[in-house]
Amino acid sequence: MSVSLDVTERIKPPRAVFLPFMMGHHFGVPHHKDLQTEIIKTALSRITKAEKSGDIFHFPKTWSEARKEGKKLKVKRQKFGD
Amino acid sequence: MKTQTEKELRPGLWETVNERYPDSMITKDDFVELAKLSKPLSESRLTFVSTAGVQPKGSMPFDTVHPVGDYTFRRVPSNAKPKDLEIHQLKYPTFGAEEDLNVIFPIERLQELTQEKFIGGLTESFYSFIGYNMDGERLENTLAEDIAEAVEAENADVVLLSPA
């Protein structure tokens, strides 16, 4: 998992998923279970999908999108409870 | 065509940090060969290795103020609840993790994926250390080797690695 593309490119792990997210939030935003699970499943899918070493998959969601989804879920939780 | 590294957003960072802490910013020249999974993920045993400084409450806190870092790791029971864990690390924003630990240490999501049989099983322990270690050689030769040995002893088939 990576939120720092330059670091990952220098370290050269065999497989990586790059997320344009804030440090400390590699698996998304609080209480967004679907996103957290999707990130893990994406990472694990690279075990079979990566064709050569050095594969860096760019996760198709921005930090802004993730935060907006998290805020919507927070409002929903406050309104209806968990 | 320029590589991503040549057009990096933080030009000179490696050289600047390495000047102060020699060899702390690691650059590898070669790619590690891809390892193939020998069985389906649904039959594989997974472990999680993290630099988030997550540790069981009551275990020896990581030394977060040592100038060259802490080269030890903690075992985190893979069946632990977030309320039984705490973070000792100062080098990344933890406001999300304080609300929901899963944003950096997705222990509950991995437990769920195992219950759903998406993953075959989890090792008894996950592994945690702090990312602030300024002696790259020591990191590779001691801490990384110690964790690799522990992971191997737990017969992990898959390792999910995450910095913080």
Side-chain angles (χ1 to χ4, degrees), chain A residues 1-5 7-9 11 13-21 24-28 35-46 55-59, chain B residues 46 48-51 102-106 110 159-164:
Chain A
M1 311 306 299
S2 167
V3 296
S4 300
L5 192 56
V7 174
T8 303
E9 286 184 330
I11 298 296
R15 305 172 180 90
V17 173
F18 168 69
L19 305 106
F21 288 5
H25 297 75
H26 293 53
F27 296 92
L35 177 60
Q36 294 168 2
T37 302
E38 186 190 347
I39 293 169
I40 295 171
K41 284 186 171 178
T42 299
L44 296 178
S45 76
R46 303 315 298 169
D55 178 87
I56 301 177
F57 180 81
H58 289 239
F59 190 76
Chain B
L46 179 142
F48 180 56
V49 178
S50 162
T51 70
N102 293 287
V103 302
I104 195 61
F105 200 88
L110 290 169
V159 184
L160 180 62
L161 302 168
S162 182

Side-chain angles (χ1 to χ4, degrees), chain A residues 55-74:
Chain A
D55 178 87
I56 301 177
F57 180 81
H58 289 239
F59 190 76
K61 183 161 284 185
T62 64
W63 177 235
S64 169
E65 288 165 344
R67 287 189 68 201
K68 277 180 191 161
E69 289 177 7
K71 278 182 185 170
K72 274 187 191 169
L73 286 171
K74 194 169 187 176

Side-chain angles (χ1 to χ4, degrees), chain B residues 50-117:
Chain B
S50 162
T51 70
V54 171
Q55 53 186 107
K57 285 179 181 169
S59 59
M60 175 69 82
F62 287 112
D63 186 348
T64 56
V65 294
H66 195 288
V68 296
D70 183 334
Y71 298 81
T72 64
F73 70 88
R74 304 287 179 273
R75 290 175 191 269
V76 176
S78 63
N79 63 358
K81 301 283 179 209
K83 67 176 176 55
D84 301 323
L85 307 173
E86 61 189 5
I87 298 173
H88 286 277
Q89 168 63 306
L90 306 172
K91 306 291 183 187
Y92 68 91
T94 54
F95 62 89
E98 281 158 18
E99 205 180 318
D100 176 8
L101 187 67
N102 293 287
V103 302
I104 195 61
F105 200 88
I107 190 165
E108 289 180 302
R109 300 295 86 80
L110 290 169
Q111 291 166 355
E112 289 162 6
L113 287 169
T114 306
Q115 284 157 14
E116 293 165 16
K117 301 289 178 199

